[in-house]
Amino acid sequence: MPLKIAIVGRPNVGKSTLFNRLAGKKLAIVDDQPGVTRDRRYATGRIGDIDLELIDTAGFEDLSDHSLEARMRLQTERGIEEADVAFFVVDAREGVTPLDRIFADILRKKDKPVVMIANKAEGHQAAATAEEARVLGFGEPIHLSAEHGEGMSELYEATEKYRQMFEGDFMEADDEAEDEDTKPIRIAIIGRPNAGKSTLINKLLGEDRLLTGPEAGITRDSISVDWEYEGRTIRLVDTAGLRRKARVQEKLEKLSTSDTIRAITFAEVVVLVMDEANAFEVQDLQIADLVEREGRALVYAVSKWDLVENPQSRLNEIVEISERMLPQLRGAPLVTLSGATGRGLERLMPAVLKTYRNWSAKIKTRDLNDWLALAIQRHPPPAVSGKRIKPKYMAQTKGRPPTFVLFAARAYAMPDHYTRYLINSLRESFDMPGVPIRLTVKANSTTNPYDEGAASETSGPPRVRSKPKSKPGEKPAHPNRVRQKPKGAPPPKPKVVVKDRTEVSKAKAVKAKAMGPSTKPGAAGPGGRSKVRPKR
């Protein structure tokens, strides 16, 4: 039975965009103008392997009269009553508004499970502002971009929890750590065609579960297989090979490529399988960069290692290429193996589990700020325009991947190279090699950023020009008009003093008498006559 979901929130927060994303097609009209959706819209959708029945609702307005907006509000409330779970959407760019707080109070009275979603969180600044949604009281918000498809894996995890609760097979763990040890780890095996992905999974399972062969492109669908490793449930996902976009021409191959990218989005650890003969070519680098941008943990697996003649020299060459071409993933574990013979296969799963623990790491705030003080002392921030940037405070907002917020004075001037220095130092100090780390620099605030009444500073350069302040009761002047003097004020003194013409002539005569007669040729002598006499 599909899970019934109502997507609710105030106008223009992206409810219809999320509705279209989950439905897999553009059913609802989407526009920047608020209030486009008015009636409830129903559709079937899917997220991962969960079937959904979606309800798109109108934007919530705090009205109770007989207006159109009040009738739209009644439609929204009926949609909430019909649903099993409500997706409460807020705008991460604008933060929490008074209307969001009113709607949160109404949702609490409905006694329905609520999933808090901070939409439009694709930018670093918006991701930091999205944490303000905690004050609404529905737990940690899911950072989502319905338009670009970011954060869908976190939404899948929250939806899967409620699906299990309604189907009766969900058991609430007493300890969060115990739940982390029992739930399956989703591992996606990806790579180019004919790299040995299906052969590797068959060797791990100990049976010919997947079809293999020398032909490229045998696997088309993403096949999920459950497996148990040392008492831990593992969900292996075999995917179709990813070729360069220019070479993907057939419609069936395009569908297979989309299915593989979807498997990467919903995975927790990604194993990139490469042929040893052409490891880390352009397509492998693009796949690894896609995994890093999606925020997944990554493990390199170089297959067909039994065919290498000089293993140590070739291994050093591959490691050097990976660190030079993928500096954002420096330190990611690299395992050499052979899917056909099983050589080196015992090193793969320990590397996967260690990377998964690093990817799920949560660091205490006190340890983070102690590390920040040492990092600043070792390498102080640069001075921009003669003023030094001063980092003040740091905290981890979420894990998977580890996401941090740094509060600093003059945050807008923080250069990218110093941010990279902090991320690399984090990896080295807290032993998180190869894990994608998100670091957002935010303007320093004197108040608690997660407090309801706190008003944090906005990051950006200071204003050069400010509006003139008007006194109480005084009408402000038009910006294009010259400001007039108030009535009764004394006339202004002229800047240039104009003298009388008689005074000017007297001053010239006194100056000429003091200087005496001129000695220049042709000048007039006393009495106004020239000194030069004409020739006879």
Side-chain angles (χ1 to χ4, degrees), residues 153-167:
S153 59
E154 288 80 4
L155 184 61
Y156 168 78
E157 292 180 0
T159 309
E160 172 68 14
K161 172 185 173 182
Y162 290 111
R163 183 195 67 81
Q164 294 177 7
M165 290 177 63
F166 281 96
E167 292 184 0

Side-chain angles (χ1 to χ4, degrees), residues 219-222 240-262:
T219 304
R220 287 178 174 174
D221 292 319
S222 295
L242 289 174
R243 294 200 300 167
R244 282 188 292 178
K245 189 175 181 180
R247 295 186 178 181
V248 179
Q249 302 294 337
E250 298 181 2
K251 180 180 179 182
L252 187 60
E253 189 173 0
K254 290 181 180 179
L255 295 175
S256 299
T257 301
S258 302
D259 201 21
T260 301
I261 295 175
R262 190 180 304 112

